[in-house]
Amino acid sequence: MSAVDTPSPPAGRHHETLDTVVVRFAGDSGDGMQLAGTQFTNVSAAFGNDVSTLPDFPAEIRAPAGTIAGVSGFQICFSSHDIYTPGDEVDTLVAMNPAALKSNLQDLKRGGTLIVNEDAFEKSNLQKAGYDSNPLEDGEALAGYRVHRVPMTRLTRDSVEGLGLSQREADRCKNFFALGLVYWLYDRDPKPTEEWVKAKFASKPVIAEANLRALKGGSNYGFSTESFTVHYEVPPARLAPGKYRKITGNEALAMGMATAAKVSGLNLVFSGYPITPASDVLHELSRLKNFGVTTFQAEDEIAAMSATVGAAFGGALAVTASSGPGICLKGEAMGLGMITELPMVIIDVQRGGPSTGLPTKTEQSDLLLVMFGRNGESPLPVLAAATPGDCFWTMQEALRIAVEFMTPVVLLSDGYIANGAEPWRVPKVDDLQPIRVEHPVEPNTEDGFRPYLRDERLVRPWAVPGTPGLEHRVGGLEKADITGDVEYSPENHQHMSDVRRRKVEGIARFIPEQEVDGPESGDLLVVSWGGTFGAVRTAVRKCQEAGLSVAHAHVRYLNPFPANLETVLSRYRHVLIPELNLGQLSFIIRSRYLTDVISLNKIQGKPFKVGEVASKIKEILSN
Amino acid sequence: MSSLLPQLTAKDFASDQEVRWCPRCGDYSILAQMKKVLPELGIPREKFCFVSGIGCSSRFPYYMNTYGFHGIHGRAPAVATGLKLANPDMQVWVITGDGDALSIGGNHLMHAIRRNIDLNIVLFNNQIYGLTKGQYSPTSPRGSRTKSTPYGSVDNPLCPLSVAIGCEATFVARSVDVDIRHLAGVLTQAAHHKGTSFVEVYQDCNVFNSGAFRYASKKGEKEDHVVYLEDGKPLIFGKNRDKGVRLNAYGRPEVVELSSGISEDDLLFHDSKAEDPSLAFLLARMRYPDFPEPLGVLRNVERPVYDESVRQQVQEATERLGEGDLDALFNSGDTWIVE
């Protein structure tokens, strides 16, 4: 909205500048809430706010309309400064029906703004949501919130009148009406969304026009209605200078793979099987074939893993991605990759478990699975990405370790950072780290090629089939060192088990030391890993500002740990490990270093709130 | 450029590993034929790779002086698929058994075949689990008395050829371990076929299931129990070549005596190139003792080859979009500058 042609707002209206706002759109899974949220994120990012998002959708594509099970939500935190989480409490909640109100109201902060589609609060919807009476009519239920009852269905129909849409088609535009209203409320420039609508519905100009009118209708409603007395502004964030784009974790993984293919000069073969929340990695990557990428949708998780082992043997950068249930199935072939000492990356986008668990919700409960979930002594390097953008860098690092050390590497992501978005500073191609690959072309001894003859880092050569003179056989049976022949002798098995372990442990000498945010020693060190980075970093910073002696160590390398981790842990009186599981990193740290760890565990399918971590910190330090 | 290659012999394909199958195992014969066939193909040794699963047959790659990968139980077709996608110039052979391919690995076999990826799959069928010492397998006849079925098995066996044809296989053949010339011929044709070649080999496990295929392998006996398939030729068999197979009025096969006024022209003629798989399926269902069992190539047709199509998509995408440009990729979508 340009200042020139904007008429003055109704009298009594005032303008407030805020630094951080959390908005949540909630409605039926058919109401287009994910789309509204994504558009809000895009315009906020384009405006220059820092953003962090939390999509929350049901496992069922279309659960029965109007029920609690069918509620889909999208939360966006946007700010004028750096933020690391999508926010603990919601400032503005848009509820498109009674079920959305019922399941989301508890997250709306006291005094927060509630925008409801009052047209949806009729008898059958109220019943489906389990309301005995209409909460909009009940003085008690919504006391303490700034409630705006907006007849969205009716106003949307009015907005699109004359376009010849069916009632159903007209009603599908309500998300744009809601979006337009919230755009107005937070002074967002709707232009990127308008452009998007025009491009998206280029072949359906009537639908495009209807959505644009609904968007405008929502905005006009906000502008001209007395009920919205405050109009907010969140100025752009002061991010580090540079060029930015929005990125989700899954997009970043795909981009990271294409990048690794380019900088290594190798082809990349990605094998996957559809599974929530990892499928988008396959979707994104399958569009990047011109980067030397081959994607293979396998018949099952086992085949995807086995093909990854085969592709690695064949000389390609080999990657597979899945989530917990799929990783369980991949275990045997991961062991095969381990004993054949071939380079590959296994991505685990973790979700709520066990078994099928909570497919669309986030969790960090696969750490012990990827560390130990294979038969025999089968150590693998494990890395975890911290944020959506960090998925790009962690992908590069995982592939670098895989090819430099001839080992499968596990990359842990989770549903939260996989689907969540943040601004990402676009890297410069010249700043990318190379991935060096050496395929031998000559036998490595006078007597011929020895596939298990190791270098000083205990790494064996990666000879590619098709190379004359290097014909050799590998497989899942125990190998004699150097020759690679099948060998069952007791001494050899001890030796090979030790060597494989030492090789992986030795990677610690080639990774960065553990860094700490805050004082180098003190009362408390908070140790986190993976997608909890944002909540923990924010909580620790807040406590530091409040004068507490607390530091934060976010561990990216979970196996092997950075060489100095034990020393770092020993510099603090207490160690707190918050995790979205029942204490898996705590378990490892306790057993590895005999550190007396305090665990903060949450296993609700949702990320930590900053407040949850901060109050635990305060509790420990007040004792 | 095969004329420039050094002439290889069977010896060049023997690895330095001691072969450790039981004495007189049928696998020896298959290994020997493979070593004879490969030098004839005009392909350099380093371009061959043998991939296997688990089982006696799956030790095969260790005994070939080519690239080799001894995988895990049932997964050889999936490992081989990854290898072929990464390294399409390789000629990839999958060596498997009845338990490996049809029990634990049934899914991978099915999907490799329906994709028509360029692999040569050789299934050593001995109707028993040998490596685990004698349990019945998915091809053991109903009623098989084995260690795990002392009262006889009560499940019905799979016919590997029927499974392959049901998966839309483009090349389906059968041979017998000791029928060495025939076996070499079938392996050669499998090697030349583009797409998935599926070869079942009747293989004698002389320790746990000795003589299971005596009817199809013993001279003087087998002539009445097998029929050799040749394109354009009628199905004639018998010690005196006096029996044939024809289709009756209901379109079902029946065995007839050639002496009783029935001429060769009345018989079923073989056509491995028939587009429709019905004939191949009908042949696959001819089972001992009611019918002579077919040996040779049941089906050999051309269809798009998976790995070639995959490569073609990559090429087309690269031609259409240009070589991937990282700068353009990073800057795709909406970007903004922070000063």
Side-chain angles (χ1 to χ4, degrees), chain A residues 242 244 262 290 299 467 473, chain B residues 66-67 70 87 115 324 336 338:
Chain A
Y244 284 79
K262 283 298 257 190
N290 59 326
E299 58 270 25
T467 314
R473 276 68 56 193
Chain B
T66 62
Y67 284 94
H70 180 209
N87 203 330
R115 288 187 188 107
W336 65 96
V338 174

Side-chain angles (χ1 to χ4, degrees), chain B:
Chain B
M1 305 292 276
S2 58
S3 59
L4 296 178
L5 291 171
Q7 193 56 50
L8 297 172
T9 67
K11 248 187 170 166
D12 294 308
F13 285 92
S15 78
D16 59 356
Q17 299 297 294
E18 182 195 347
V19 184
R20 290 194 194 166
W21 288 312
C22 305
R24 290 184 31 246
C25 174
D27 291 359
Y28 283 97
S29 171
I30 307 173
L31 178 64
Q33 295 321 305
M34 187 66 81
K35 286 186 208 158
K36 260 187 228 166
V37 163
L38 296 194
E40 306 293 321
L41 297 176
I43 295 171
R45 192 175 61 183
E46 68 272 11
K47 296 289 185 192
F48 289 103
C49 186
F50 282 82
V51 179
S52 63
I54 295 293
C56 294
S57 60
S58 289
R59 298 297 176 93
F60 200 97
Y62 290 120
Y63 308 139
M64 297 294 297
N65 190 18
T66 62
Y67 284 94
F69 197 98
H70 180 209
I72 44 179
H73 207 9
R75 320 301 171 204
V79 173
T81 296
L83 168 62
K84 186 73 184 173
L85 290 176
N87 203 330
D89 293 339
M90 298 298 290
Q91 180 172 115
V92 182
W93 291 79
V94 171
I95 304 296
T96 182
D98 37 314
D100 192 56
L102 294 171
S103 202
I104 194 166
N107 198 31
H108 310 304
L109 180 75
M110 170 166 90
H111 290 278
I113 293 175
R114 62 114 179 151
R115 288 187 188 107
N116 199 33
I117 185 165
D118 192 19
L119 307 174
N120 307 314
I121 301 175
V122 186
L123 189 158
F124 297 15
N125 183 6
N126 56 17
Q127 299 185 343
I128 198 81
Y129 283 88
L131 194 68
T132 49
K133 301 195 174 108
Q135 300 82 10
Y136 81 117
S137 90
T139 56
S140 301
R142 191 180 158 95
S144 293
R145 288 179 188 274
T146 69
K147 280 201 183 133
S148 58
T149 52
Y151 303 114
S153 62
V154 293
D155 36 354
N156 299 311
L158 283 172
C159 168
L161 300 183
S162 299
V163 170
I165 294 163
C167 298
E168 307 291 332
T170 54
F171 183 99
V172 181
R174 178 195 275 152
S175 192
V176 181
D177 52 4
V178 293
D179 203 343
I180 57 177
R181 278 214 190 88
H182 186 264
L183 176 58
V186 164
L187 292 176
T188 304
Q189 290 186 74
H192 286 305
H193 175 72
K194 284 277 162 210
T196 307
S197 310
F198 180 82
V199 179
E200 176 190 23
V201 182
Y202 283 169
Q203 175 248 322
D204 189 46
C205 173
N206 58 313
V207 173
F208 294 107
N209 200 16
S210 184
F213 298 105
R214 187 197 311 271
Y215 68 92
S217 55
K218 193 167 168 29
K219 276 215 174 83
E221 231 179 280
K222 68 174 180 179
E223 293 78 2
D224 286 325
H225 302 144
V226 300
V227 55
Y228 290 94
L229 302 174
E230 282 185 80
D231 269 334
K233 301 269 177 67
L235 270 63
I236 298 177
F237 68 104
K239 281 187 206 74
N240 306 316
R241 295 193 56 78
D242 55 355
K243 288 185 275 194
V245 177
R246 72 167 184 186
L247 295 185
N248 67 16
Y250 304 101
R252 301 210 182 98
E254 62 183 10
V255 174
V256 292
E257 304 281 336
L258 281 173
S259 52
S260 56
I262 295 170
S263 81
E264 288 190 7
D265 287 346
D266 298 320
L267 300 180
L268 183 58
F269 280 66
H270 184 53
D271 178 12
S272 70
K273 309 278 185 198
E275 289 296 316
D276 186 283
S278 306
L279 171 66
F281 191 68
L282 179 145
L283 293 172
R285 294 197 59 83
M286 298 200 321
R287 313 268 165 82
Y288 172 81
D290 300 332
F291 289 97
E293 294 191 341
L295 297 180
V297 180
L298 284 81
R299 181 162 171 77
N300 185 4
V301 295
E302 282 185 26
R303 292 278 187 279
V305 177
Y306 179 78
D307 44 298
E308 288 179 4
S309 303
V310 166
R311 222 161 45 241
Q312 200 180 334
Q313 276 197 345
V314 172
Q315 275 163 9
E316 282 170 7
T318 309
E319 278 161 26
R320 202 177 63 248
L321 306 167
E323 285 275 333
D325 175 350
L326 289 178
D327 243 341
L329 174 67
F330 298 156
N331 287 286
S332 58
D334 295 333
T335 59
W336 65 96
I337 305 277
V338 174
E339 306 280 341

Side-chain angles (χ1 to χ4, degrees), chain A residues 264 266 315 317 343 400 402-406 435-442 449 455-457 459-464 467 470:
Chain A
S264 68
L266 293 185
L317 286 181
R400 186 183 69 79
V403 298
E404 284 187 14
F405 294 89
M406 289 293 281
I435 294 177
R436 286 188 201 86
V437 179
E438 282 174 42
H439 294 311
V441 291
E442 299 277 334
F449 181 62
D455 68 11
E456 67 287 351
R457 297 166 308 163
V459 177
R460 78 176 193 88
W462 188 11
V464 176
T467 314
L470 307 189

